[in-house]
Amino acid sequence: MLSIWGTGLLTGLALIIAIGAQNAFVLRQGIRREHVGVVVALCIVSDALLILGGTAGIGALVSRFPVALDLLRWGGAAYLTWWAVRSFRSAFKPAALTAEAPRSRGSVVATTLALTYLNPHVYLDTVVLLGSLANQQENGTRWVFAAGAVVGSILWFCALGYGARALSGVLNSPRTWRVVDCIIGVVMLGLAIKLILG
C-alpha cells in the first residue's frame, strides 16, 4: 500500500512541478505576498477534485468528447496570450519598477480559477493520465494511488506559494520583477503556442 501511495505521490509531483501558467501565478502571488493562502488553497482543492474525478472515471468521459477539449484549448490559448502580453508590458514599462496596486481577492480568485480550468493540459495530465494510472492499480488500490497524487499537490503548492513568500524580501527588487515577468510572459506565450499547435 505504501509503495502505491508513494508511486502516486511521485507521479503527481512529476506532472505538477513543470513550470506552467498556474505555477507561475502561484510564484508571482507568493513574491507579492498577496492572497497566498487563497491561491494555494484553490490550487490544491482544484487539483484534488480533478485527480479524484479522474480516478472515479471522468477521464474516460473527457476523452470521449474531444470537442470539450478543443473549446478549452482555444479559450486557454487566448487567455494565456493575453496574460503573456500583460507580463511583457509589465516587464518593459517604467511603471514595472514601482509597486503595483494590490489586487482584490476576487480578481486573484478569478485568475487562479481561469489559469487552472482553462488549461486543457490540466485535464489531460490530471484527469486523463493520473486517472488512467490510478485505475490500473491492482486490488482496488486506485484510491491509495490518488491519495498519494493529492498529497504531492498539497506539498508542491504549499512549498511554491509559501516558499516564494518567505523569499519575497530577496526576490522583490525591480530587476527580479523584470526577470520574473519576462519568464512568465515567455512561459505563457509558449504554452499558448503549444495549445494552438495541438
Side-chain angles (χ1 to χ4, degrees), residues 23-44:
N23 286 340
F25 185 70
V26 174
L27 179 66
R28 181 178 178 79
Q29 290 306 115
I31 293 171
R32 285 179 55 103
R33 297 175 152 248
E34 187 178 71
H35 308 296
V36 179
V38 172
V39 171
V40 167
L42 280 172
C43 290
I44 289 170

Side-chain angles (χ1 to χ4, degrees), residues 15 50-51 53-55 57-64 69 120-136 145:
L15 290 174
L50 292 166
I51 290 167
T55 303
I58 294 175
L61 182 66
V62 169
S63 62
R64 287 187 188 145
L69 286 177
H121 290 290
V122 167
Y123 296 95
L124 293 172
D125 290 347
T126 312
V127 177
V128 177
L129 182 58
L130 276 176
S132 297
L133 291 172
N135 283 294
Q136 290 175 14
F145 179 92

Side-chain angles (χ1 to χ4, degrees), residues 151-169:
V151 170
S153 179
I154 292 167
L155 292 173
W156 172 249
F157 285 119
C158 287
L160 184 62
Y162 291 111
R165 186 174 82 171
L167 294 172
S168 67

